[in-house]
């Protein structure tokens, strides 16, 4: 899936951020108060979006590859296979989480409006609409999605205005305490959950940096707003359950519309990207069909999943993908070379194990950023004593460039230099 219009990419990623899950995560930051809470949210989003998401999107756009395929440069084909599976699993989990969040909120509103509740019915409504989004023609998809995202943004502003107008300052002393570093990390990991996806939507463009910046900016602005909305909801209403607070706003059908379609504009991207990873593994082009299967599996999981471990789920994503892309970025952007594949896997495993341990230190910039620094130093020091493969030989001699006709050419050069062939991708 590709859309080279910058406005389309901006709205696509703004729509990804406008979701109940982002708001619910924002409610967890409320114990810090509005000033410290906003500072943590802003800092976490700056790190998550511009230290991680932007380089990932740019790298995919330059190489005309998905974010997971781009890891082939450093981790080889075995790494691509492993990380594709892990990414598909986490996206399936997100599909289930989003459906659960939506049905709970929908039931809260439906109980007030229609005196009716049903987890199965509400979950089915969301799943069916996600499938409709997946079946839409590319051009119509972006037109409809863009219009819906604009309406959702207006709806969220309406919700915030209602909460501010009718709420007052409430004590947050009864809430579970949260440190500044943990609040920063929540914002980082929410952005990090999109790290293995962003390349799926930036890879087909002749303006790599602009497309990546437009995508990341759309997510940054909207996600910051959603986190702030969740935090202010708790501070101004004293209600930590956003669904309850939303049902008390008297917005009725408007609130129901926002819940349903904010979930759809986010979750169809999860399902599509999960399908993209699976399709790359099984070598098929039937991505939309696989995405529908992912949605249905997510629906089944949603009907039996508990949200008790939601925060742990977010941290688990950081543990897997933060070290992966930290090593990739250091190798590509700083070393311009890579270590042996097995050494990169060793450092990745150290990062996965070390992530949980580093959380205990409660670094004020968040665990993920601290991990990036430590892995960067570790990979660099290792490169001083271990053999490196220079940038010119990365990806087994594959050299990428854009020519003036906007055709991405891939030249495979044999070891002896006597044979080569050229493949072109429009």
């Amino acid at each position: 899936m590709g859309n080279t219009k910058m406005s389309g990419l901006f709205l696509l990623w703004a729509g990804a951020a406008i979701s109940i899950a982002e708001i619910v995560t924002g409610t967890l930051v409320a114990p810090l108060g509005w000033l410290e809470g906003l500072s943590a949210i802003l800092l976490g989003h700056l790190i998550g979006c511009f230290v991680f998401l932007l380089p990932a999107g740019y790298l995919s756009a330059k190489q005309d590859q998905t974010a997971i395929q781009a890891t082939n440069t450093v981790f080889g084909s075995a790494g691509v296979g492993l990380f594709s599976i892990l990414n598909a699993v986490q996206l399936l989990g997100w599909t289930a989480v989003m459906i659960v969040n939506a049905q709970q909120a929908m039931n809260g509103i439906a109980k007030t409006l229609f005196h009716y509740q049903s987890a199965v019915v509400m979950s089915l409504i969301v799943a069916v609409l996600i499938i409709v989004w997946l079946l839409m023609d590319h051009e119509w998809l972006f037109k409809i999605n863009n219009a819906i995202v604009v309406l959702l943004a207006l709806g969220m502003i309406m919700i915030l205005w209602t909460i501010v107008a009718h709420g007052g300052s409430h004590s947050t002393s009864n809430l579970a305490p949260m440190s500044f570093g943990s609040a920063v990390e929540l914002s980082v990991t929410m952005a990090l959950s999109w790290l293995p996806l962003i390349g799926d939507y930036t890879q087909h463009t002749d303006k790599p940096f602009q497309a990546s910046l437009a995508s990341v900016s759309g997510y940054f602005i909207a996600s910051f707003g959603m986190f702030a909305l969740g935090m202010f909801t708790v501070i101004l209403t004293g209600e930590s359950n956003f669904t309850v607070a939303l049902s008390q706003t008297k917005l009725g059908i408007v609130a129901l519309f926002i819940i349903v379609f904010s979930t759809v504009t986010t979750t169809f991207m999860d399902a599509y990207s999960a399908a993209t990873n699976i399709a790359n593994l099984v070598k098929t082009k039937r991505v939309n069909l696989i995405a529908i299967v992912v949605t249905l599996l997510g629906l089944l999981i949603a009907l039996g999943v508990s949200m008790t471990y939601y925060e742990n789920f977010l941290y688990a994503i950081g543990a897997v993908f933060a070290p992966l892309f930290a090593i990739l970025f250091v190798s590509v952007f700083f070393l311009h070379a890579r270590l042996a594949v097995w050494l990169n896997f060793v450092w990745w495993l150290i990062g996965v194990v070390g992530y949980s341990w580093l959380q205990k230190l409660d670094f004020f910039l968040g665990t993920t950023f601290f991990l990036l620094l430590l892995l960067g130093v570790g990979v660099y020091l290792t490169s001083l004593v271990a053999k490196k493969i220079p940038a010119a030989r990365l990806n087994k001699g594959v050299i990428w460039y854009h020519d003036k006709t906007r055709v991405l050419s891939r030249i495979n050069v044999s070891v002896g230099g006597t044979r080569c062939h050229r493949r072109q991708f429009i």
Side-chain angles (χ1 to χ4, degrees):
M1 183 181 293
N3 181 36
T4 55
K5 290 183 179 179
M6 301 304 116
S7 60
L9 286 171
F10 181 91
L11 289 173
L12 176 71
W13 282 94
I18 298 176
S19 72
I20 298 298
E22 300 261 351
I23 298 172
V24 168
T25 309
T27 63
L28 301 175
V29 183
L32 292 178
W34 72 270
L35 182 58
E36 194 175 0
L38 278 181
S39 299
I41 292 171
L42 177 60
L43 184 56
H45 277 77
L46 287 172
I47 294 171
C49 293
F50 296 102
V51 176
F52 283 95
L53 279 185
L54 183 59
Y58 177 75
L59 190 59
S60 290
K62 287 288 287 184
Q63 295 187 352
D64 192 34
Q65 294 178 305
T66 67
I68 293 297
Q69 286 175 332
T71 63
N72 181 56
T73 306
V74 174
F75 290 94
S77 57
V80 172
L82 172 63
F83 300 135
S84 292
I85 293 171
L86 292 175
N87 191 33
V89 170
Q90 75 110 352
L91 291 173
L92 176 61
W94 266 117
T95 301
V97 165
M98 296 301 293
I99 292 174
V100 171
N101 276 330
Q103 69 88 359
Q104 289 178 345
M106 289 167 68
N107 274 318
I109 302 297
K111 182 180 180 181
T112 302
L113 291 178
F114 313 115
H115 305 291
Y116 175 81
Q117 287 182 298
S118 173
V120 175
V121 172
M122 300 304 174
S123 297
L124 277 172
I125 290 173
V126 174
V128 168
L129 284 171
I130 293 169
I131 291 172
V132 170
W133 244 244
L134 290 168
L135 292 176
M136 264 193 262
D137 173 78
H138 178 274
E139 186 176 346
W140 274 104
L141 169 63
F142 277 99
K143 286 181 179 179
I144 294 174
N145 193 75
N146 290 350
I148 293 293
V149 169
V150 172
L151 291 175
L152 288 174
L154 293 174
M156 290 299 181
I157 293 172
M158 188 184 303
I159 291 175
L160 179 60
W161 175 262
T162 304
I163 289 173
V164 171
H166 296 90
S169 182
H170 287 73
S171 172
T172 58
S173 59
N174 61 325
L175 300 175
M178 174 164 287
S179 67
F180 184 86
S182 295
V184 170
E185 184 63 12
L186 279 178
S187 296
V188 174
T189 52
M190 184 60 81
L192 209 65
S193 68
W194 294 104
L195 192 56
L197 282 73
I198 189 168
D200 299 353
Y201 304 92
T202 61
Q203 61 174 317
H204 302 304
T205 179
D206 60 334
K207 297 178 180 178
F209 182 76
Q210 293 93 322
S212 303
L213 184 61
S215 302
V216 172
S217 297
Y219 180 82
F220 172 81
I221 293 171
S223 180
F224 178 83
M226 295 304 99
F227 268 68
L229 175 57
M231 183 189 69
F232 279 118
T233 297
V234 179
I235 292 174
L236 296 175
T237 67
E239 178 55 65
S240 59
N241 188 324
F242 180 74
T243 301
V244 174
L246 189 60
S247 65
Q248 294 172 351
T249 60
K250 310 300 181 184
L251 289 175
I253 296 296
V254 174
L256 200 58
F257 169 87
I258 291 170
I259 293 167
V260 173
F261 285 98
S262 66
T263 303
V264 172
T265 58
T266 301
T267 314
F268 94 92
M269 294 175 67
D270 292 326
Y272 183 86
S273 288
T276 299
N277 283 270
I278 296 170
N280 289 336
L281 286 173
V282 300
K283 309 300 181 185
T284 180
K285 294 182 178 180
R286 305 184 72 176
V287 178
N288 288 58
L289 177 61
I290 298 173
I292 292 171
V293 174
V294 170
T295 304
L296 294 175
L297 287 174
L299 171 63
L300 292 176
I301 296 171
L303 293 175
V305 76
S306 170
M307 292 300 290
T308 306
Y309 303 106
Y310 174 61
E311 192 173 336
N312 292 332
F313 174 64
L314 285 178
Y315 287 137
I317 293 170
V320 172
F321 292 105
L324 162 64
F325 282 92
I327 295 167
L328 178 64
F329 295 160
V330 170
S331 300
V332 173
F333 294 116
F334 294 97
L335 294 179
H336 305 294
R338 71 161 170 83
L339 303 174
V341 170
W342 71 270
L343 276 175
N344 286 324
F345 268 110
V346 168
W347 275 113
W348 175 69
L349 288 172
I350 290 173
V352 171
V353 175
Y355 182 89
S356 298
W357 183 81
L358 288 175
Q359 280 185 308
K360 300 175 184 178
L361 300 181
D362 197 22
F363 186 53
F364 79 100
L365 290 178
T367 304
T368 299
F369 189 74
F370 194 24
L371 183 66
L372 171 64
L373 295 177
L374 292 179
L375 281 178
V377 171
V379 171
Y380 172 74
L381 292 177
T382 305
S383 72
L384 297 179
V385 296
K387 181 181 178 181
K388 301 187 295 292
I389 297 178
R393 293 174 56 199
L394 288 181
N395 205 17
K396 296 184 180 179
V398 177
I399 304 169
W400 299 88
Y401 67 92
H402 287 276
D403 65 23
K404 293 181 180 179
T405 59
R406 297 182 182 179
V407 176
L408 185 64
S409 300
R410 172 173 170 171
I411 303 176
N412 294 323
V413 184
S414 67
V415 176
T418 57
R419 293 189 307 158
C420 69
H421 68 275
R422 172 173 172 152
R423 295 174 59 197
Q424 295 182 328
F425 303 88
I426 302 297

